[in-house]
Amino acid sequence: MPRAHGVPTAFTSPPSFTSRPDLQGTFGMSATTHWIATATAQSVLERGGNAFDAAAAAGFVLHVVEPHLNGPGGDMTAVLATAERPGEPTVLMGQGPAPAGATREHYLAEGLELVPGSGGLAAAVPGAVGAWFILLRDHGTWELADVLAPAIGYARDGHPVLARVCSTIEQVRDLFTEHWHSSAELWMPGGRVPEAGELVRNEAYARTLDRLVAAGHAPGVADDRVARIEAARATWREGFVAEEASAFLAAPHRHSDGADHAGVITAEDFAAFGAGYEPAVTADFRGHTVAKTGAWGQGPALLQVLGILDGFDDAELDPSTAVGAHTILEAEKLALADRDAYYGDADTPLDVLLSPEYAAERRALISDTASAELRPGILPGHTVFVPPLRETYTPPSGRAGAGQAGAGVGEPTVSPTGQTRGDTCHIDIVDRWGNIISATPSGGWLQSSPAIPELGFCLGTRLQMTWLEEGSAAMLSPGRRPRTTLTPTLVLRDGRPVTAVGSPGGDQQDQWQLLYLLRTIVGGYTPQQAIDAPALHTTSMAGSFWPRTWTPGGAVVEDRLGEEVITELERRGHRVTRAGDWALGRLSAVTVDPVTGLLGAAANPRGVQGYAAGR
């Protein structure tokens, strides 16, 4: 939101100190989950590129510098608005579907109860690269070669590796050395895990990007920027990338269930999918319009929560108080129960789920005590899907090497099998012309599946968010998109964008963004104050990542919420897990003041790698 002019008395006052300054300027702002990506984006703005050129350049750099959180074999969704049409928020859809061979029957015949959390069977068709290409084609101004140059440079010449990348590799060392030998060769050169700050390279990925650039200059390609981008996009979908990836994963390899399976993705699956655009789904809250993806993502759940909370007084919405935290957690449980009951790449009744009447029905279910039940709403004409509810999970036959999911509180939690939760990046950019984008690249992280030697990356595991049970709108089905957790946000006021915001964190992404929206829109916090403030989330829903467990009545909180508030939450019946003082949330944001036109940016201090820049 624009800079606040004082905090209403109904909300807890923020500390006067912030971990980072609230940036302000008039030229352009960039905020991402890695300082190198932020610097890359800002350098593009400084050299005349627009927000979309900058976002794409940062996105490809994130493939290199945050390989434990995303990769070119993964997916990406964004919400954007252009300077020409500021009142029309648009979704950039880079979520690929299930391959043609990814049938429920095939996975059951493999002895699976869940789609694995790692391995080629969990791979949807990659969508991230195609999405960045069409964004550049339609809304960018730069040549593809110039946009990809920073990523190529860091991949070929090296970049200082993050400590978190090294710890991720260490956790899957045995998997790499015993089963995924190509991953060991790529990520453990010389047979050892790199040390934090060491220069690491990915020359295979540099060669891949070089070949995509070269495709735009091949004989027969028109001397035109758009034609060059289209040639690269065609080469990705129908050329060496599709062929190498599908052939490599066809060989049986270790999955998170402890068994070896062959992937089912083919070159034809790559060719059949193209990233695209969709109108954003929107809802109003306290004079603002919040724009999200459709129900093939979890974004509308945030809109449902806002609808429920809109009926409460301001004082009941303060996340830093016991009553506010309780109210927020209970509203989130109700919306997430509906997410799991009805959301998917199908006919989801959002007109009902986002209606004021339905919000009032759900609001009435919130009492003074915590619910430990899964309570989806009953919608006439629709069958309620109740997902399997397990607090723990043991794969069939107790297969050796099958791992249990960790806490999944934002940064990667990885078992020795490669299973992981919540691994994602985020980018927010606004330029001096008024173009703005919130983008969430994810999937294809280094621990997803074996690295494809000729390409320098692996495919993602988004299909783990599908169910093998019949009756779910998110059931595994060929050609259908998995119900992704990627959920960037654009906020508008009086028909113009004022905020692009988002966060990594799997099921927690919208829960942490909700706190930001409440504190800025209702509480009057500045963006940096809202990002710094204590965070919390519920785990009382079926997890979106393998092995899809839940904690009935579970609430995870930062200790800075305070002993009095935490004790009161426990008294109300919440099963509270204390995560530490600075553990939850990976938010970043850029803003536009609708009155002054001033631009702003803020970034997350947790994890010590996100950064904002601008002037």
Side-chain angles (χ1 to χ4, degrees), residues 147-214:
V147 168
L148 295 184
I152 293 171
Y154 283 118
R156 176 166 292 127
D157 302 328
H159 68 281
V161 66
L162 292 168
R164 293 178 185 274
V165 175
C166 301
S167 63
T168 299
I169 297 171
E170 178 62 43
Q171 287 177 288
V172 291
R173 176 205 290 261
D174 291 344
L175 174 68
F176 283 9
T177 56
E178 295 175 15
H179 300 286
W180 295 1
H181 300 144
S182 59
S183 297
E185 291 174 7
L186 177 60
W187 300 111
M188 297 170 57
R192 66 176 183 86
V193 176
E195 298 180 3
E198 180 180 341
L199 283 179
V200 299
R201 296 171 175 80
N202 187 344
E203 296 181 48
Y205 186 44
R207 289 192 295 271
T208 294
L209 294 181
D210 279 338
R211 293 177 71 179
L212 294 175
V213 171

Side-chain angles (χ1 to χ4, degrees), residues 356-366 378:
E357 296 78 14
Y358 185 72
E361 291 178 21
R362 304 296 275 161
R363 189 182 307 125
L365 296 175
I366 297 177
I378 306 300

Side-chain angles (χ1 to χ4, degrees), residues 264-563:
V264 294
I265 196 166
T266 67
E268 289 74 21
D269 293 315
F270 277 77
F273 169 71
Y277 302 99
E278 297 180 2
V281 175
T282 63
D284 294 334
F285 176 77
R286 298 292 211 271
H288 295 73
T289 298
V290 181
K292 304 292 288 183
T293 71
W296 50 266
Q298 67 172 332
L302 175 60
L303 305 182
Q304 284 193 245
V305 176
L306 291 171
I308 294 169
L309 295 180
D310 207 15
F312 288 96
D313 294 334
D314 288 358
E316 298 175 276
L317 303 183
D318 183 356
S320 296
T321 65
V323 65
H326 169 76
T327 303
I328 290 164
L329 290 167
E330 293 305 293
E332 288 173 339
K333 292 176 193 177
L334 294 169
L336 290 168
D338 283 342
R339 179 198 72 174
D340 292 335
Y342 298 112
Y343 285 23
D345 193 10
D347 186 21
T348 302
L350 286 181
D351 56 335
V352 177
L353 292 169
L354 297 179
S355 69
E357 296 78 14
Y358 185 72
E361 291 178 21
R362 304 296 275 161
R363 189 182 307 125
L365 296 175
I366 297 177
S367 69
D368 292 336
T369 58
S371 170
E373 300 178 71
L374 189 75
R375 298 186 290 175
I378 306 300
L379 305 184
H382 294 270
T383 301
V384 178
F385 172 73
V386 178
L389 297 175
R390 313 175 179 94
E391 293 192 52
T392 59
Y393 177 70
T394 302
S397 304
R399 289 167 176 160
Q404 172 65 34
V409 293
E411 292 297 327
T413 302
V414 188
S415 80
T417 65
Q419 183 281 130
T420 184
R421 289 185 177 186
D423 300 67
T424 306
C425 306
H426 190 71
I427 299 168
D428 298 301
I429 314 282
V430 62
D431 64 30
R432 63 189 185 272
W433 300 288
N435 300 300
I436 189 169
I437 183 169
S438 172
T440 308
S442 186
W445 40 72
L446 65 88
Q447 62 275 17
S448 291
S449 58
I452 304 155
E454 292 299 316
L455 302 181
F457 61 84
C458 57
L459 297 194
T461 58
R462 192 61 60 182
L463 293 187
Q464 66 181 293
M465 297 178 182
T466 62
W467 294 103
L468 296 181
E469 284 76 12
E470 293 183 307
S472 169
M475 185 182 77
L476 178 66
S477 181
R480 183 181 290 181
R481 291 169 290 187
R483 198 223 67 224
T484 180
T485 52
L486 305 183
T487 180
T489 300
L490 197 66
V491 183
L492 298 88
R493 187 171 185 178
D494 298 326
R496 300 190 68 85
V498 293
T499 299
V501 62
S503 174
D507 290 311
Q508 289 80 52
Q509 288 183 29
D510 273 333
Q511 298 191 61
W512 295 335
Q513 292 181 68
L514 172 68
L515 306 179
Y516 177 95
L517 296 177
L518 294 175
R519 283 175 167 136
T520 54
I521 293 175
V522 184
Y525 285 35
T526 69
Q528 194 63 51
Q529 288 171 341
I531 288 172
D532 283 356
L536 70 155
H537 63 263
T538 183
T539 51
S540 189
M541 75 288 174
S544 293
F545 291 82
W546 188 94
R548 314 208 70 170
T549 55
W550 81 316
T551 304
V556 183
V557 305
E558 287 187 324
D559 293 49
R560 290 183 299 125
L561 200 60
E563 195 64 37

